[in-house]
């Protein structure tokens, strides 16, 4: 009798184990098929092949995963400057996500190239030289890089949010962004949202643009973080893959994205460098209008932001 109960218990465990294997198998097949579907949607439009970069990144000594996140609209051009420079940081111990934006006109020392705007480091030596520049000046290690083509941003928005993204446009915008935006709360498709985050032809210039970029990232985080979005994740990654040049593998991206999306209402902390009262607007021969900064204060601000 006892032997029969033991056999029945063993059979039930085996059934549960087989059922779990089948479930994981189905999820894997579904995820792969959705990833491929997204990839096929974008592959032909993405066009030119990606430039291959070397990147000698290191894991942060505190255990954070730091990613050099760059925005560019110059696919296939190795000597283009980075239009957007950010450090995306994930702390696996606390489950926190942070985003630090570095103003592209920040005037600092670039290894073997003297002093120049930080975004010129990308033109001189790709993401690896930019990594070295950030390490030398701010003492922050970067493990990965991701260069996002702006058209990939458009495709991501239109795929994830077919009805558009609700955002408050604070003023009329049209110069040099390819679209016209009027002030007020409105729903924007990918092309118009890209125009919103790229606009800088006003009195505050690049400062306003960085502020809008961080505002949009936070809003997208809120709207993406829902149970409804998680099943879309493999397809979304497939859609943007042809537009993203990165040394991260798909598994790394899925792991961090699922972690973020699994908690509705999760927030992203943000920082802008240079911080207030630590910089001056100047003109430098050969570089034009730059931001000269108090390097020690900004180094301290960035490291404290990532650590706390």
């Amino acid at each position: 009798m006892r032997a029969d109960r033991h056999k029945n218990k063993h059979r039930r465990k085996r059934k549960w184990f087989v059922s779990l294997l089948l479930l994981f198998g189905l999820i894997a097949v579904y995820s792969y098929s959705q990833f491929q579907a997204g990839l096929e949607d974008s592959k032909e439009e993405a066009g030119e092949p990606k430039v291959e970069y070397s990147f000698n990144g290191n894991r942060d000594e505190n255990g954070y995963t730091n990613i050099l996140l760059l925005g560019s609209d110059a696919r296939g051009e190795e000597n283009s400057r980075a239009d957007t420079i950010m450090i995306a940081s994930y702390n696996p111990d606390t489950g926190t996500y942070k985003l630090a934006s570095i103003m592209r006109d920040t005037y600092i020392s670039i290894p073997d190239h003297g002093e120049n705007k930080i975004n010129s480091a990308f033109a001189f030596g790709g993401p690896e030289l930019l990594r070295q520049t950030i390490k030398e000046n701010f003492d922050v290690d970067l493990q990965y890089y991701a260069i996002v083509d702006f058209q990939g941003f458009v495709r991501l928005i239109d795929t994830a949010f077919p009805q558009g993204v609700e955002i408050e446009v604070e003023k009329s915008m049209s110069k040099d962004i390819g679209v016209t935006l009027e002030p007020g709360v409105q729903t924007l498709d990918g092309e118009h949202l890209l125009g919103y985050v790229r606009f800088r032809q006003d009195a505050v210039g690049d400062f306003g643009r960085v502020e809008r970029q961080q505002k949009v990232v936070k809003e997208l985080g809120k709207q993406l973080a829902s149970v409804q979005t998680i099943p879309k994740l493999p397809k979304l990654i497939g859609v943007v893959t042809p537009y993203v040049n990165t040394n991260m593998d798909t598994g790394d991206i899925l792991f961090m994205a699922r972690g973020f999306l699994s908690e509705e209402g999760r927030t992203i902390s943000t920082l802008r460098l240079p911080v207030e009262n630590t910089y001056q607007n100047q003109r430098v021969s050969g570089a034009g209008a730059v931001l000269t900064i108090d390097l020690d204060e900004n180094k301290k601000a960035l490291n404290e932001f990532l650590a706390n």
Side-chain angles (χ1 to χ4, degrees), residues 131-145:
R131 180 197 68 78
Q132 293 175 22
T133 301
I134 291 172
K135 175 62 177 177
E136 180 179 288
N137 288 273
F138 301 108
D139 195 26
V140 170
D141 283 309
L142 300 163
Q143 186 175 5
Y144 301 110
Y145 77 87

Side-chain angles (χ1 to χ4, degrees), residues 16 18 43 53 57 73 123 126 135 143 146 154 159 168 200 215 232 241 297 300:
W16 274 108
V18 172
K43 199 161 55 175
Y53 294 106
D73 61 352
K135 175 62 177 177
Q143 186 175 5
V154 173
T159 303
E168 182 176 2
R200 65 188 186 100
K215 171 184 171 182
K232 297 180 184 178
T241 291
E297 284 298 313
K300 178 182 176 183

Side-chain angles (χ1 to χ4, degrees), residues 108-175:
I108 57 177
S109 175
I110 298 173
D112 299 322
H113 291 82
E115 292 190 323
N116 210 322
K117 295 179 181 181
I118 190 170
N119 72 334
S120 63
F122 182 76
F124 294 150
E128 170 58 17
L129 183 58
L130 189 47
R131 180 197 68 78
Q132 293 175 22
T133 301
I134 291 172
K135 175 62 177 177
E136 180 179 288
N137 288 273
F138 301 108
D139 195 26
V140 170
D141 283 309
L142 300 163
Q143 186 175 5
Y144 301 110
Y145 77 87
I147 307 168
V148 183
D149 185 274
F150 288 137
Q151 188 56 36
F153 175 84
V154 173
R155 289 301 309 273
L156 173 64
I157 297 304
D158 290 342
T159 303
F161 306 102
Q163 307 305 316
V165 175
E166 187 176 282
I167 204 83
E168 182 176 2
V169 179
E170 61 271 21
K171 63 182 74 176
S172 296
M173 303 176 185
S174 60
K175 190 174 181 181

